[in-house]
Amino acid sequence: MTAPKKLFVKTYGCQMNVYDSERMAGALAERGYETTEDQAEADMILLNTCHIREKAAEKVYSELGRLKPLKTAKPDLKIGVAGCVAQAEGEEIMRRQPMVDLVVGPQAYHRLPQLEDQVQTGARALDTDFPEEDKFDHLPPARGPKARRAPSAFLTVQEGCDKFCAFCVVPYTRGAEVSRPAERLLAEARDLVERGVVEVTLLGQNVNAYHGAGPDGDWTLARLIREMARIDGLERIRFTTSHPRDMDDDLIAAHGEVDKLMPYLHLPVQAGSDKVLKAMNRQHTAEDYFRLIDRIRDARPDIALSGDFIVGFPGETEADFQDTLHLVREVTYAQAYSFKYSARPGTPAAERTEVPEDEKSDRLARLQALLKEQQEAFQTSMIGKTLPVLLEKPGREDGQLVGKSPYLQAVHLQADAALMGQIVDARVVETRTNSLAAVRA
Ligand code: SAH
Ligand code: SF4
Ligand code: F3S
């Protein structure tokens, strides 16, 4: 028997990429690959890339530069580029980087075994098609460190996006919105639970637009969540990322009615000025968002809200930016992500006049200061509270485990390693910006 070949995957970007990396490892297991966390021993290195902002996309070229000596020393080493940069710039990568053997776009991962065959003959392989078939129907189960590290797993339920926000590459790199059939997802969730998973995060670029075929017509995300909640042994359900336009009544109600649905919602708004929201093609106003937040909080008063913000979108004035700060003050976030606008080739906004870089930086600093203040206030409000914590992995200190609160906070506590994968009550004794320290209650 030949020794297994080693696959090293480096993942950039969103949670969908994390999930896809493990499914790619599953596909390459069919060709005898085992995953490794040591790049030096790899027979194949796969970069799963992100194209969302310029900096993210540049990382792939600098990483390829770093890999050059390795490839020179080990000519049999195969180097592959997957993910959204592969989709957007696959041919350019092939042209600029002769050392790249393989380029595969996000919708073609199920063809990896055949592409690998091609690469083994010494040929270069490129596949950035958007095939008709659903790649997940043809992909074997996930492999790799995350898949082994139950108890929390991702499950992609829909992919792609039809919203075409003026700044965003996702509709181009991931393609049109496609939802996976409901019963298949329930079966996959049951499989995960059998493997020890107790928390599932349903993934989609526009997850609440989910409308997968069910036994009695299309199911909404709310319906899928309600049915998934009936699976014994599955204790926690989360979903991300949502668009404000697709938060329907039933999904809002589910937050008050489904105990297993965790009280945390990532609901990006991007900006607080109606003029900017319109220019972004977000298809909602700030007022729509406020009303939505009120309804969500009526259904689930303790919900922790998270969001995404872009500052310095073309045409954004200081007054528009003040509207964003106002929105943040009105809503109050438990945590949030914020970015400087980054022009992406091929998107409508890339044609527009940019806000000067120093203004973008200044606005980002001011927004982040406010968001940090809110996040710290949310963390501090946890002191003295007893929370159910899902214990996920060993902590840095001896005898310490790290888990998650219902509000998606990392929680450190002293606990027996045998409790890993269980939900225990813990009282919060100390808080930091990004984590809580607790003791068993
Ligand atoms: N599907 C998700 C987000 C995908 S990208 C959604 O619709 O919310 C994640 C975040 O990156 C976006 O919410 C946005 O805040 C940010 N982003 C996307 N394109 C960007 C760009 N061109 N410049 C800066 N930030 C961007
Ligand atoms: Fe991008 Fe907008 Fe679609 Fe989100 S909703 S993925 S920001 S186009
Ligand atoms: Fe990046 Fe593609 Fe995800 S651009 S954020 S890896 S969908």
Side-chain angles (χ1 to χ4, degrees), residues 6-144:
K6 301 283 186 184
L7 170 70
F8 178 86
V9 189
K10 185 156 182 177
T11 307
Y12 304 84
C14 61
Q15 288 152 322
M16 182 128 356
N17 266 11
V18 174
Y19 179 77
D20 286 346
S21 287
E22 307 240 308
R23 300 298 297 255
M24 284 194 270
L28 286 168
E30 285 188 353
R31 288 295 186 271
Y33 282 91
E34 272 180 4
T35 56
T36 175
E37 288 174 52
D38 176 9
Q39 182 170 290
E41 67 165 15
D43 300 290
M44 181 184 287
I45 294 177
L46 205 51
L47 307 180
N48 193 6
T49 61
C50 174
H51 201 245
I52 202 80
R53 284 168 291 275
E54 196 179 348
K55 276 209 183 96
E58 277 168 358
K59 279 187 192 153
V60 53
Y61 293 102
S62 47
E63 184 63 22
L64 287 172
R66 275 195 290 276
L67 291 178
K68 214 168 220 153
L70 208 60
K71 174 90 175 176
T72 314
K74 196 173 166 184
D76 283 346
L77 170 68
K78 303 298 177 195
I79 293 187
V81 179
C84 291
V85 182
Q87 188 63 47
E89 299 176 0
E91 283 169 23
E92 195 187 334
I93 294 171
M94 281 296 203
R95 217 172 26 247
R96 271 174 62 181
Q97 298 284 348
M99 64 184 264
V100 170
D101 302 284
L102 168 73
V103 166
V104 59
Q107 301 313 326
Y109 294 155
H110 55 298
R111 296 176 176 168
L112 264 171
Q114 290 74 37
L115 295 169
E116 135 77 17
D117 291 344
Q118 217 174 310
V119 161
Q120 285 307 330
T121 67
R124 301 174 85 200
L126 175 127
D127 190 344
T128 48
D129 285 353
F130 286 101
E132 280 291 306
E133 71 271 12
D134 174 358
K135 68 179 171 199
F136 292 118
D137 290 352
H138 303 272
L139 275 172
R143 288 275 182 121

Side-chain angles (χ1 to χ4, degrees), residues 14 50-54 158 160-161 163 165-170 204-207 240-244 266-270 280 282 307-311 313 337-344 347 349:
C14 61
C50 174
H51 201 245
I52 202 80
R53 284 168 291 275
E54 196 179 348
Q158 76 77 237
C161 183
K163 294 277 190 299
C165 298
F167 50 81
C168 184
V169 293
V170 171
Q205 268 92 25
N206 209 172
V207 71
T240 198
T241 295
S242 299
H243 191 287
H266 183 64
L267 195 62
V269 64
Q270 314 298 354
M280 286 177 163
R282 287 291 292 181
D308 290 343
F309 296 89
I310 295 178
V311 299
F313 185 76
Y337 304 90
S338 46
F339 314 96
K340 283 192 261 187
Y341 168 72
S342 167
R344 307 307 294 129
T347 60

Side-chain angles (χ1 to χ4, degrees), residues 8 40 44 77 92-93 149 152 158 167 175 188 205 213 227 252 298 310 317-318 322 356 364 376 382 404 421:
F8 178 86
M44 181 184 287
L77 170 68
E92 195 187 334
I93 294 171
R149 201 178 60 220
S152 182
Q158 76 77 237
F167 50 81
E188 282 186 28
Q205 268 92 25
E227 297 292 335
I252 294 171
D298 280 346
I310 295 178
T317 62
E318 173 62 25
Q322 287 297 332
L364 185 66
E376 285 175 351
M382 295 288 138
K404 288 264 169 51

Side-chain angles (χ1 to χ4, degrees), residues 173-195:
T173 62
R174 293 278 169 168
E177 207 269 301
V178 181
S179 291
R180 302 184 57 210
E183 280 175 314
R184 187 156 293 139
L185 295 169
L186 290 173
E188 282 186 28
R190 277 187 221 103
D191 275 359
L192 289 169
V193 169
E194 266 168 39
R195 299 208 321 250

